[in-house]
Amino acid sequence: MINDLRIRNIGIIEEVSFNLSSGFTVLTGETGAGKTMILTAFQMICGEKIDNSLIRVNEETAIVEAFIPVKNQDSLIKNLNDLEIELDDDGVQISRTISNKTRGKIFLGNRSIPGSVLEELTDEIITIHGQGDQTLLNKQSYQRHLLDQYCGENHLKLLNNYQENYRIFIEKQKQLLEFEGKRNQDEKEKLQLQEALLELESANIEMDEENSLNERINLINNSEDIFESLQNSDQILNGGEFNSENSITVLIAKVRKELEIGSKKSERIETLKNIFLELESQIKDFAQQINRDLASLERDPEIIEKLESRRALLKKLLIKYGPTSKDALNRIIEIKTELSNIQDFPKILDQLNKELIELRKNLAKSAEEIHNNRLRFGQKISEEIRIELKHLSMPNASFEVKISNKEEANGLETAGKKYYFDQSGIDGIDFEFSANPGQPLRPINKIASGGEMSRIMLAIELIFSKKDTSRTMIFDEIDAGIGGAAAIEVGKRLKELAKKHQVIVVTHLPQVAAFADSHLKVEKSAKGNVTKASVYELKDEEKLSEIARMMAGMQESSSALEHAKELIGMSKTVSL
């Protein structure tokens, strides 16, 4: 449950804080007093996305804080421990800020968390029902969701397994269609791939060949300058063709001999000789490299022509299979794989068909179990809803969960027939309703009024609440479109619901407010150009006055006060 709530700078609320008790709490107030802003605060606590345009005028940030007790909430305690969030007084503080200038912040206890984590955590303990839920109830997908939830945990596991198999089935079916689409182009593609492979393999491309070819060709094109440079270097180092006595290698050899003589008489010269020997070795290696480069320098025009021809071929191939030699070599591997797949085409198709047949069998088996569960539990929830509707002043109402199937030639085969199927199974779900005797059942989205939809929604909540662990349930005008005796019955059922759950209801109906254990009033005041909203808990006399206002539109009406007193007295004595 939610123990207390503090709101700052939302809409016309500057700052309010109030305690929330267990049991049944109502929020009342004139239209525009700020009740919607209270609901916005609850939505913030639940991690829902909130538009920062709701921040109070001339303020930069809005803050909502709430304290959530966690006693007997084992699952929530485990999740909080997993997040390493410390508990304070057997509970946890939620603080959320939205801003006009920066990203909002959420703190759970002493730790910052994303909105998605807050939403997941509070989903276990808080449910908010707005007027939009009635629109949701009109959708067949939501009706199916409710029925599946009612069917229980084992059913949901079966449904999840079916949905995973359905996902795999669709993937395999897509693969099969792709392979069958390729089969018509199989032979043509095979020939093209074989030609490409022959072209690439016969070229004998080497890794990085395009760069080495360019270097070689550039070297030859500049061979005269390079030759002269190498020849002069060789002349200086090695004496060239004439083995000159003045070459560096000859002179170095003479220096070595002199150092060898001196080293016999001086340790210092011995050290210098050793250093010189290392230098001599390096210079000899360098001189030999210059000589080899000079000897290997290509200057033959025929070689240049062959290299240019090779470069032209390589360029053509890299345009088709490149842009680099590495890409072309990888393409050879890819083509071989594609050819292997084409050759294995019949085997692949056969394997896919076998897998699809097996998946169909599994889907059909699961779909039939899911269908049977929905039939059985559909009858059960229909009966429970009819009972609840009688309690909600609709004694002649009829309600039924209709489950239908559509035959299809390519559907799933169950009980000797083939039915259309999708990710939810083979069933179409319709909630059908009739308010009066003699009227046929029709889908609720075509026949139920706003007040009837409100009571159907409340009936469903009452049924599900019996299965739920204790939680906070917040209703925004669940009693819309209801009045008179029906409103009294709604108040009674909400009071019944509050025996197990914390129930918070925004209402305009005095009949509903009369049953509340705690009554909070939202009131606005204006001073100059500044409008503020306040929230305070009503005492007995104040509650009487507020219910009189809700009944007659004025608080001081003596007849309204008498009716309010009678209504409150009835709420305390009536059997739930």
Side-chain angles (χ1 to χ4, degrees):
M1 62 179 276
I2 302 171
N3 255 14
D4 53 62
L5 192 68
R6 176 174 172 263
I7 308 166
R8 185 175 170 189
N9 295 334
I10 294 182
I12 61 171
I13 295 174
E14 182 177 50
E15 184 164 2
V16 298
S17 59
F18 51 90
N19 294 325
L20 290 161
S21 60
S22 58
F24 183 18
T25 298
V26 293
L27 276 161
T28 65
E30 296 278 8
T31 300
K35 298 187 297 296
T36 301
M37 299 303 104
I38 305 294
L39 283 166
T40 298
F42 284 125
Q43 289 166 346
M44 285 179 66
I45 290 302
C46 292
E48 294 185 25
K49 290 183 179 179
I50 301 296
D51 193 331
N52 60 10
S53 64
L54 293 173
I55 297 172
R56 184 175 169 83
V57 175
N58 298 325
E59 298 291 343
E60 291 183 5
T61 60
I63 302 171
V64 175
E65 295 177 335
F67 184 78
I68 309 293
V70 297
K71 189 177 180 181
N72 299 325
Q73 299 280 352
D74 294 340
S75 177
L76 179 61
I77 292 171
K78 180 183 180 302
N79 290 333
L80 291 172
N81 288 336
D82 289 344
L83 291 168
E84 298 180 353
I85 292 170
E86 295 179 6
L87 300 181
D88 181 22
D89 293 332
D90 291 326
V92 64
Q93 184 82 6
I94 298 173
S95 176
R96 183 172 177 189
T97 304
I98 57 174
S99 172
N100 281 323
K101 294 187 175 180
T102 60
R103 292 186 65 181
K105 295 178 181 179
I106 301 173
F107 283 92
L108 191 61
N110 57 351
R111 183 166 181 181
S112 175
I113 60 168
S116 58
V117 172
L118 180 61
E119 189 172 11
E120 188 176 336
L121 285 169
T122 55
D123 187 56
E124 296 184 18
I125 56 170
I126 303 172
T127 304
I128 300 176
H129 294 286
Q131 296 179 50
D133 285 357
Q134 293 185 16
T135 304
L136 197 61
L137 187 57
N138 282 326
K139 295 182 179 180
Q140 288 185 332
S141 58
Y142 186 65
Q143 293 172 12
R144 184 190 294 111
H145 167 75
L146 287 173
L147 177 57
D148 286 332
Q149 292 295 318
Y150 183 80
C151 288
E153 190 175 335
N154 289 336
H155 172 84
L156 291 174
K157 286 179 180 177
L158 178 64
L159 181 61
N160 287 337
N161 182 62
Y162 170 90
Q163 289 172 339
E164 177 60 19
N165 280 335
Y166 180 82
R167 182 190 65 77
I168 296 169
F169 177 82
I170 294 300
E171 281 183 9
K172 296 288 183 185
Q173 202 170 48
K174 186 179 177 182
Q175 288 176 22
L176 182 66
L177 288 172
E178 287 174 355
F179 272 106
E180 286 180 339
K182 287 179 179 179
R183 183 163 56 180
N184 298 329
Q185 303 172 4
D186 186 11
E187 205 54 44
K188 182 180 177 182
E189 186 180 358
K190 184 178 177 181
L191 288 171
Q192 289 174 343
L193 289 170
Q194 286 173 337
E195 288 174 5
L197 185 62
L198 180 63
E199 186 176 29
L200 282 166
E201 288 190 327
S202 62
N204 290 318
I205 298 172
E206 295 178 3
M207 184 68 77
D208 205 33
E209 187 177 353
E210 65 272 34
N211 293 324
S212 61
L213 265 177
N214 286 334
E215 288 175 9
R216 249 183 110 184
I217 290 169
N218 288 337
L219 188 66
I220 294 172
N221 287 337
N222 295 291
S223 59
E224 288 303 322
D225 293 336
I226 294 168
F227 179 79
E228 185 178 345
S229 176
L230 288 174
Q231 189 179 49
N232 290 338
S233 298
D234 185 56
Q235 179 73 37
I236 295 167
L237 287 165
N238 300 312
E241 296 178 8
F242 307 103
N243 293 318
S244 171
E245 289 293 323
N246 293 321
S247 69
I248 288 175
T249 51
V250 171
L251 293 173
I252 284 174
K254 290 179 179 179
V255 171
R256 175 173 36 80
K257 287 179 181 179
E258 293 299 327
L259 288 172
E260 285 175 349
I261 293 168
S263 66
K264 294 175 183 178
K265 298 177 181 180
S266 167
E267 289 184 3
R268 171 63 181 161
I269 294 175
E270 174 70 21
T271 301
L272 291 174
K273 183 197 78 171
N274 291 334
I275 294 170
F276 186 79
L277 287 174
E278 290 181 13
L279 291 173
E280 182 185 22
S281 175
Q282 291 176 8
I283 290 170
K284 276 185 178 181
D285 289 342
F286 182 71
Q288 288 171 2
Q289 185 61 52
I290 290 288
N291 190 262
R292 282 195 296 269
D293 285 357
L294 181 63
S296 64
L297 188 64
E298 295 170 321
R299 301 169 69 198
D300 188 343
E302 288 185 8
I303 293 175
I304 295 174
E305 188 178 339
K306 286 180 182 178
L307 291 174
E308 288 289 4
S309 176
R310 177 65 179 176
R311 183 160 70 173
L313 173 63
L314 193 61
K315 183 179 179 181
K316 176 185 172 185
L317 292 173
L318 295 187
I319 289 171
K320 290 172 70 175
Y321 308 110
T324 68
S325 54
K326 182 181 179 181
D327 295 318
L329 292 169
N330 286 336
R331 184 59 186 141
I332 291 173
I333 297 169
E334 290 171 3
I335 289 172
K336 287 180 178 179
T337 302
E338 288 174 37
L339 282 170
S340 176
N341 287 340
I342 289 173
Q343 288 163 1
D344 291 340
F345 224 60
K347 291 180 183 178
I348 294 170
L349 287 173
D350 184 57
Q351 182 61 31
L352 276 173
N353 277 311
K354 284 179 180 177
E355 289 175 5
L356 284 168
I357 289 168
E358 190 61 30
L359 280 166
R360 269 184 174 275
K361 287 179 182 177
N362 291 335
L363 286 169
K365 183 181 177 183
S366 297
E368 189 169 6
E369 287 185 59
I370 291 166
H371 170 74
N372 291 336
N373 285 344
R374 286 170 175 166
L375 281 176
R376 181 159 55 93
F377 285 97
Q379 291 173 355
K380 189 176 178 183
I381 195 174
S382 296
E383 179 60 27
E384 288 194 49
I385 289 173
R386 286 193 290 269
I387 292 169
E388 286 297 340
L389 290 175
K390 286 179 182 177
H391 288 310
L392 292 168
S393 197
M394 297 179 73
N396 298 314
S398 184
F399 184 93
E400 185 178 317
V401 176
K402 183 181 178 182
I403 298 171
S404 58
N405 311 108
K406 185 170 69 175
E407 289 191 41
E408 185 179 88
N410 198 36
L412 286 182
E413 186 171 351
T414 64
K417 291 184 178 180
K418 290 186 176 181
Y419 297 107
Y420 167 81
F421 67 105
D422 59 18
Q423 71 275 8
S424 301
I426 58 173
D427 303 313
I429 308 295
D430 263 311
F431 284 7
E432 294 192 337
F433 171 77
S434 169
N436 302 302
Q439 286 186 333
L441 288 163
R442 295 186 63 196
I444 57 173
N445 63 333
K446 294 181 179 178
I447 195 171
S449 66
E452 289 164 346
M453 285 293 289
S454 292
R455 281 177 277 181
I456 293 169
M457 191 79 226
L458 180 55
I460 290 169
E461 282 303 325
L462 287 163
I463 290 163
F464 275 90
S465 72
K466 295 172 187 175
K467 295 187 174 187
D468 282 341
T469 55
S470 179
R471 62 194 294 120
T472 297
M473 306 181 82
I474 301 164
F475 296 94
D476 177 19
E477 299 188 21
I478 186 96
D479 47 22
I482 298 172
I488 291 174
E489 294 302 323
V490 168
K492 286 167 62 177
R493 300 313 286 165
L494 287 168
K495 179 82 170 180
E496 176 70 20
L497 187 62
K499 287 181 178 180
K500 185 176 181 181
H501 306 279
Q502 182 186 39
V503 176
I504 302 167
V505 179
V506 176
T507 184
H508 289 290
L509 292 179
Q511 297 96 322
V512 171
F515 283 91
D517 302 309
S518 174
H519 191 143
L520 299 173
K521 184 176 181 181
V522 184
E523 198 168 57
K524 70 176 178 181
S525 60
K527 188 175 181 181
N529 292 325
V530 179
T531 303
K532 295 181 181 180
S534 58
V535 180
Y536 56 94
E537 185 174 3
L538 301 180
K539 305 300 181 185
D540 289 344
E541 289 302 314
E542 292 170 321
K543 179 176 179 177
L544 182 66
S545 180
E546 172 65 3
I547 289 177
R549 179 199 67 77
M550 294 169 74
M551 294 178 77
M554 49 185 153
Q555 294 172 319
E556 304 305 323
S557 166
S558 58
S559 61
L561 284 168
E562 282 301 315
H563 283 305
K565 191 180 293 183
E566 183 181 355
L567 188 59
I568 292 171
M570 178 273 300
S571 72
K572 291 178 179 178
T573 58
V574 73
S575 175
L576 296 178

